[in-house]
Amino acid sequence: MRAARIGLTGGIGSGKSTVGQLLCVAGAALVDADQIARDVTGSGGAAIAAIHAAFGADFIDALGALDREKMRALAFTRPDARSRLESIVHPLVGLQSEKQAQEAASRGCPLIVFDVPLLVESGRWARRLDAVIVVDCDADTQVMRVMQRNSLTAEVVRNIIASQATRSARRAAADILVANGRDRSLTQLAGDVSQVAALFGL
Ligand code: ADP
């Protein structure tokens, strides 16, 4: 039987990574788009030659990785730099994700979960997915969790939330909504996730 391919998304602090880990424990294969993006822009990564050609040697550090600090500074003053970088990195992330998914499917894994933080924002994933899981919670809970996890101020977290898709846009993209507000304990969340996994034969 063909492996089911589902997208997993959620705003910062929603509990998306926690749900991804729980799905993994249940037997799903996780394809982590952020991790792949870090790999292709890391030392000797597949995006480095193109980044060098587009932005120059200044943006490659001594280890042959993208110099993130310099790129952040450039993107701050030149917004088009971000889209240029994305036009290099996103197709490579797409290819590498597909490779990992096919490897998992050929091992007989019944469920492949694409962990894509910007799934709703980017739009390019929809056609590859059978369903989208959205982990949902209110902004105050997001702020509380991320302040604790990353020692950030409430203001910084609220700015990140404001830069992401709105809660209603994300909910509208959901085939399966996992509610993870502050009223849900980790034990309850684990129970909900095993019910989702069971939908896919796990
Ligand atoms: P995301 O990947 O969406 O940014 P995480 O899964 O890392 O979010 O969760 C953010 C933080 O909140 C983590 O420290 C996680 O352990 C905690 N967390 C997530 N869901 C719950 C919950 N239902 N109860 C208590 N803590 C939670």
Side-chain angles (χ1 to χ4, degrees):
M1 205 180 72
R2 180 180 162 275
R5 302 157 73 100
I6 60 175
L8 172 64
T9 195
I12 185 169
S14 60
K16 177 183 66 66
S17 310
T18 307
V19 170
Q21 283 159 20
L22 289 165
L23 286 167
C24 259
V25 171
L30 198 67
V31 176
D32 182 338
D34 260 2
Q35 183 58 51
I36 295 171
R38 282 192 293 274
D39 290 347
V40 299
T41 55
S43 180
I48 295 302
I51 292 171
H52 186 282
F55 295 97
D58 259 8
F59 289 85
I60 310 296
D61 71 15
L63 296 174
L66 167 68
D67 189 324
R68 282 172 214 288
E69 279 309 311
K70 279 196 186 145
M71 186 55 72
R72 242 191 298 274
L74 181 71
F76 196 67
T77 51
R78 298 270 314 269
D80 61 309
R82 180 187 297 275
S83 48
R84 254 170 97 200
L85 179 67
E86 285 173 353
S87 72
I88 295 170
V89 173
H90 286 178
L92 291 169
V93 172
L95 278 175
Q96 188 59 30
S97 301
E98 193 51 42
K99 195 169 152 223
Q100 289 186 11
Q102 281 175 15
E103 280 164 9
S106 63
R107 288 197 304 271
C109 182
L111 177 60
I112 298 162
V113 177
F114 293 82
D115 179 338
V116 187
L118 300 181
L119 185 134
V120 175
E121 291 84 342
S122 89
R124 58 196 293 154
W125 290 85
R127 65 198 150 80
R128 306 205 217 170
L129 301 171
D130 299 315
V132 171
I133 299 180
V134 171
V135 186
D136 180 60
C137 77
D138 57 280
D140 288 346
T141 305
Q142 289 178 273
V143 171
M144 181 191 75
R145 287 189 186 137
V146 179
M147 284 175 72
Q148 275 173 13
R149 184 188 61 188
N150 301 86
S151 322
L152 295 174
T153 64
E155 193 196 357
V156 170
V157 183
R158 287 199 189 278
N159 284 338
I160 297 171
I161 292 171
S163 74
Q164 299 184 332
T166 61
R167 186 179 183 189
S168 59
R170 217 180 262 116
R171 286 166 67 112
D175 299 298
I176 300 170
L177 195 77
V178 175
N180 189 33
R182 73 181 70 194
D183 58 319
R184 305 301 284 166
S185 68
L186 284 172
T187 311
Q188 287 171 321
L189 181 65
D192 293 345
V193 172
S194 32
Q195 285 187 19
V196 172
L199 294 174
F200 297 93
L202 286 172

